[in-house]
Amino acid sequence: MYYSLCASKTRSTLAITLLLLAFPLGIFIEGGYPTHYIIVPLVILMQIYLLQRLRNAQLLLITTLYIQIYFLYLIPYFYCGIELSQYSEYQNPIYFEKIAFLFYIFYAGLVYSTRKAFNPNRKKLANLITISTTPFKQFLYIIFLLISLLLVLRQGQNVLTANGGTYNAYLENLDNVNGLPLFYILFLMIGYYVIGNWKYKTVLLAILSFILIIFCITRGFRMILAPIGLLLFMVFFDMRIRTRTVIILFGIGFLLLILVNNIKMNLTFNIDYIFSEGGHDYIVAHHADNLYVAAAGMGMLDHGDITFFDRILLNIGLLLEAIIPPGMLPDILKYPHIITHTVSTGGGGPFIMGAYLMWGYAGLYIFGYLLGEFVRMTYLAQKPLMAMLCAIIMIFAPRWVSYDFHIILRFSCFAIILYIMLCRQKKY
């Protein structure tokens, strides 16, 4: 008991120290000082700390590892002078110092949430989700899953057999394929809990996931593969393997995504090209492009191209995207479109920049804290709907971390509607 109290006080002291340290770091950054000498090791140490604190919340642990990959791309920029992305307009060290600080703020908020234990009873998140429905609704939902899959498979062209080149075919797929493949992962996750028989739903999940994986590989959609992998991890591996094995599986998954990207780019797999496609004096990678988008956002703020009023509009747009298809909204209401449709970039948009634009440093810190706190409380409350929303946020983390921050609200609202429609009794 005494040891537990001491450990809790130590964790609280650590979390508060990281928060207080943010104030002088922010001042030094605004003064143009190279704070990365402090921020980079601290963020890496916070990630190592989270490996231990989140060992019983493995999906959140994987999310932090995914975010850490983006942060690690700042190391060659700061310490080797290698530019991130082929675009140069906003390759300003001050902007990237601020981006590193955004990572620090987010991690500090997440660390604050880990003062208390996560999932001390080692519950499996997948087991906390239940959807009690009627046999008729089960039958209808299976038909819905099959029809939706057929609609997904009809989209896009096979980049492996395309005449105009794999990458050109991939670019055409980006223009011609809608959001249904991503939504289908949500449908599939809910379908696993709608079907009552454990054997049938497991077989159906495996078969439909395999078909969807083949679709993603042949269309070049590697970033849709990641949520599928996380869904399968949640159902089959979560809390059944050790933290070390989770890290190994994460590394293997990262390499597989690079392999799919090489197929899309018609490149042979080369271990030297893990972090960059090579052949350039700058880093060519999805992660580098994302960081450059954040740098462009900092530059646009610095030049007055994004105003305080624009930042308010982004908050309104985030709420509207929860119920209105994003394509129907103007770019000024959407992140990262407010940046990527104005500046030449490689695409994407890291969540830390979106959170900063809408809520500032304080809001980003609170977001990190609330993310961890929501996951922690999910294991304590053990409420089916809350667990389902937590699973959605974790499974689709690669999307909202890298591309579509609004997915957190949009997919959650959609899931709540489906949950209410399917449940025999409304057990929230």
Side-chain angles (χ1 to χ4, degrees):
M1 183 68 177
Y2 175 76
Y3 173 79
S4 178
L5 288 174
C6 289
S8 179
K9 288 182 179 180
T10 301
R11 290 192 294 268
S12 296
T13 301
L14 171 65
I16 293 173
T17 301
L18 291 171
L19 173 59
L20 294 177
L21 186 59
F23 292 96
L25 286 174
I27 294 172
F28 288 140
I29 285 176
E30 293 299 329
Y33 292 96
T35 55
H36 64 268
Y37 292 109
I38 299 174
I39 291 177
V40 169
L42 280 180
V43 171
I44 293 175
L45 287 174
M46 281 191 278
Q47 177 62 70
I48 294 173
Y49 173 76
L50 290 174
L51 290 179
Q52 192 275 334
R53 295 300 299 159
L54 300 178
R55 63 188 183 279
N56 290 342
Q58 293 181 341
L59 282 169
L60 180 56
L61 174 61
I62 291 173
T63 298
T64 65
L65 289 173
Y66 182 77
I67 294 170
Q68 184 72 189
I69 289 179
Y70 285 91
F71 181 78
L72 293 179
Y73 271 81
L74 291 172
I75 293 179
Y77 181 85
F78 288 134
Y79 297 98
C80 304
I82 302 175
E83 292 189 348
L84 302 180
S85 184
Q86 62 181 311
Y87 304 99
S88 58
E89 183 179 359
Y90 293 100
Q91 294 282 351
N92 188 326
I94 294 178
Y95 299 153
F96 285 99
E97 293 280 357
K98 291 182 178 180
I99 294 166
F101 185 57
L102 294 184
F103 278 101
Y104 175 89
I105 292 293
F106 168 77
Y107 268 94
L110 190 55
V111 166
Y112 191 78
S113 74
T114 62
R115 293 170 301 128
K116 299 178 181 179
F118 274 67
N119 191 19
N121 296 323
R122 297 184 57 82
K123 297 287 184 179
K124 185 179 177 185
L125 182 60
N127 292 342
L128 301 181
I129 305 172
T130 57
I131 300 178
S132 178
T133 188
T134 64
F136 180 66
K137 287 183 179 179
Q138 289 184 34
F139 174 76
L140 288 181
Y141 198 85
I142 293 174
I143 298 300
F144 169 73
L145 277 179
L146 297 177
I147 294 176
S148 298
L149 181 62
L150 291 176
L151 294 176
V152 168
L153 298 178
R154 292 179 59 186
Q155 298 190 50
Q157 58 178 314
N158 191 332
V159 300
L160 304 180
T161 59
N163 294 326
T166 56
Y167 189 67
N168 289 332
Y170 164 72
L171 293 177
E172 290 183 17
N173 286 341
L174 287 181
D175 293 330
N176 298 327
V177 176
N178 56 33
L180 183 58
L182 197 61
F183 267 101
Y184 190 78
I185 302 173
L186 176 63
F187 301 153
L188 192 56
M189 187 198 85
I190 294 176
Y192 179 79
Y193 295 99
V194 169
I195 302 171
N197 186 286
W198 182 86
K199 181 191 234 179
Y200 292 158
K201 70 181 182 181
T202 302
V203 171
L204 189 64
L205 175 65
I207 293 175
L208 296 184
S209 296
F210 177 76
I211 295 173
L212 196 57
I213 288 171
I214 297 300
F215 168 83
C216 293
I217 293 174
T218 57
R219 269 58 174 185
F221 294 152
R222 63 170 181 161
M223 292 311 295
I224 300 181
L225 281 173
I228 302 173
L230 287 172
L231 171 59
L232 295 176
F233 177 88
M234 181 186 76
V235 172
F236 297 112
F237 299 104
D238 183 31
M239 297 310 300
R240 292 180 177 175
I241 56 178
R242 301 173 65 179
T243 302
R244 180 175 58 189
T245 308
V246 172
I247 297 173
I248 293 173
L249 287 178
F250 177 82
I252 293 173
F254 178 68
L255 292 176
L256 289 176
L257 290 179
I258 293 175
L259 177 60
V260 173
N261 183 64
N262 287 350
I263 294 173
K264 174 188 72 181
M265 300 294 294
N266 198 23
L267 299 171
T268 56
F269 183 81
N270 190 325
I271 197 68
D272 295 333
Y273 294 168
I274 287 180
F275 291 100
S276 178
E277 293 172 12
H280 308 282
D281 56 359
Y282 49 83
I283 293 179
V284 180
H286 151 79
H287 303 80
D289 284 333
N290 259 254
L291 293 174
Y292 180 78
V293 169
M298 287 295 182
M300 292 176 71
L301 280 172
D302 191 37
H303 298 156
D305 297 323
I306 296 178
T307 65
F308 179 75
F309 182 68
D310 293 330
R311 299 171 78 170
I312 294 176
L313 289 179
L314 285 176
N315 281 278
I316 297 173
L318 179 68
L319 296 176
L320 292 177
E321 284 179 301
I323 56 176
I324 299 175
M328 298 177 62
L329 298 174
D331 294 337
I332 198 171
L333 293 177
K334 298 183 292 184
Y335 173 81
H337 301 73
I338 192 173
I339 300 172
T340 57
H341 286 196
T342 304
V343 178
S344 295
T345 68
F351 78 102
I352 54 169
M353 190 62 202
Y356 172 68
L357 284 176
M358 288 184 284
W359 312 317
Y361 290 129
L364 178 58
Y365 181 89
I366 293 172
F367 174 75
Y369 168 74
L370 291 180
L371 176 65
E373 192 68 6
F374 179 71
V375 175
R376 191 181 71 83
M377 291 303 297
T378 296
Y379 287 105
L380 291 178
Q382 298 186 31
K383 295 182 179 180
L385 180 56
M386 190 175 180
M388 186 172 70
L389 296 179
C390 180
I392 289 170
I393 293 173
M394 295 296 97
I395 288 171
F396 292 98
R399 293 297 304 188
W400 61 258
V401 165
S402 307
Y403 294 102
D404 309 312
F405 194 34
H406 69 273
I407 274 183
I408 290 180
L409 290 180
R410 183 170 178 78
F411 276 32
S412 295
C413 290
F414 203 88
I416 291 173
I417 294 172
L418 281 176
Y419 184 85
I420 294 173
M421 291 174 59
L422 291 168
C423 272
R424 179 186 283 116
Q425 296 177 349
K426 298 178 181 179
K427 295 180 180 179
Y428 303 107

